[in-house]
Amino acid sequence: MYEKEFLVMDTMTAKVMGSGDLPVLATPSLIAAVEETCRDFMKQRLSQEQTSVGVSISCQHLHPTGIGQSFVVKIIEKKFEKRKSEYIFEVADKRTKIAEGTHIRVIVNRQRFMKNLEN
């Protein structure tokens, strides 16, 4: 298991992100925190020329979290095969579980990946 703690800032709210109109943790911000946690975990197996990119996420956002509250993303790597890593995640604040789901990341070569933007 690997975990990372985050603090809900004004910029992370549904109102600011445009995904809602309340000053609570936005689902897009929660997903970004999950991706960041998985990315940081994957760094241990990457060379300088590599990075990882998210290719799939399934998330149930179960409970609101307000500005100034902290939350922890906990991940378990369910499977790693070749370049693909699959995770199960759970997110909780001090009161309750606020989200759960799965996430898949793939290892890519930085230069080749960026070259795909050409044309």
Side-chain angles (χ1 to χ4, degrees):
M1 183 182 340
Y2 181 80
E3 63 183 60
K4 189 167 181 176
E5 187 172 2
F6 296 86
L7 180 66
V8 179
M9 309 297 286
D10 293 340
T11 57
M12 299 167 72
T13 64
K15 188 173 183 176
V16 170
M17 296 291 297
S19 63
D21 58 8
L22 297 173
V24 295
L25 177 64
T27 302
S29 296
L30 179 118
I31 288 172
V34 170
E35 288 207 69
E36 180 179 325
T37 303
C38 293
R39 181 207 63 198
D40 287 355
F41 175 80
M42 283 190 77
K43 283 181 182 179
Q44 64 186 325
R45 62 172 57 111
L46 302 177
S47 70
Q48 287 287 105
E49 297 82 31
Q50 296 176 315
T51 191
S52 68
V53 295
V55 296
S56 174
I57 194 156
S58 174
C59 178
Q60 289 187 300
H61 196 162
L62 306 167
H63 198 276
T65 306
I67 296 169
Q69 289 183 285
S70 62
F71 63 96
V72 175
V73 176
K74 294 180 182 179
I75 63 167
I76 295 174
E77 188 175 46
K78 187 170 104 175
K79 183 178 179 183
F80 178 72
E81 190 173 288
K82 296 185 184 180
R83 299 177 320 134
K84 184 168 87 171
S85 190
E86 298 179 23
Y87 298 93
I88 297 171
F89 66 85
E90 185 174 291
V91 184
D93 61 20
K94 291 183 183 188
R95 297 173 297 153
T96 189
K97 177 167 60 170
I98 63 170
E100 62 186 7
T102 60
H103 180 46
I104 298 174
R105 296 188 75 75
V106 175
I107 297 172
V108 298
N109 177 283
R110 292 172 183 273
Q111 286 184 329
R112 279 190 295 235
F113 188 83
M114 294 305 291
K115 196 168 182 110
N116 287 330
L117 292 177
E118 297 173 6
N119 296 331

